Amino acid sequence: MAILPIRIYPDPVLLHEAKEVADINGDLQYFIDDMAATMYHAPGLGLAANQVGDLRRVIVFDVAQRDGSPELRVMLNPRIIACEGEIIHNEGCLSIPDYTAEVKRCKKICVAGFDREGKPLEIEAEGLLAVVLQHEIDHLNGKLFIDRISRLKRGIYLRKLKKQAAER
Ligand code: NI
């Protein structure tokens, strides 16, 4: 297993829509293991393939690691098929270091996709897991959590980023 370099905003690969996984053989299983190793190493609660420069619709996530009992979960081609209620959560992203902001999401969702062996998988999620899934699925659609905050807040963040880049 390898720790893959995490792409940092504004890397263009983060703004691209990923493509459906069609082949679960080939290098996919190795790639999933590398994604998991990268997520745990960061550490992060979830990781989408775009974040390591790959445009396949693959996400890995694990909210159970917070209680010290990690349980890796993998989903291919995930899509949200139901959404209920509202939750506001302070989000961060491995691709957007040193910044967090409150984001409004669905409180409960149902996600359909496939497991790493290509078997159909449905996950009903609530609270933090629902937030993580929506955040990672956004990545696959080329969307970041800063796209979901107010224009004012995003402007402040982008100016800070420019200033940091200029100081480097
Ligand atoms: Ni992220």
Side-chain angles (χ1 to χ4, degrees), residues 51 92-95 135-136 139:
Q51 293 183 276
C93 179
L94 296 174
S95 296
H135 179 115
E136 301 313 331
H139 273 302

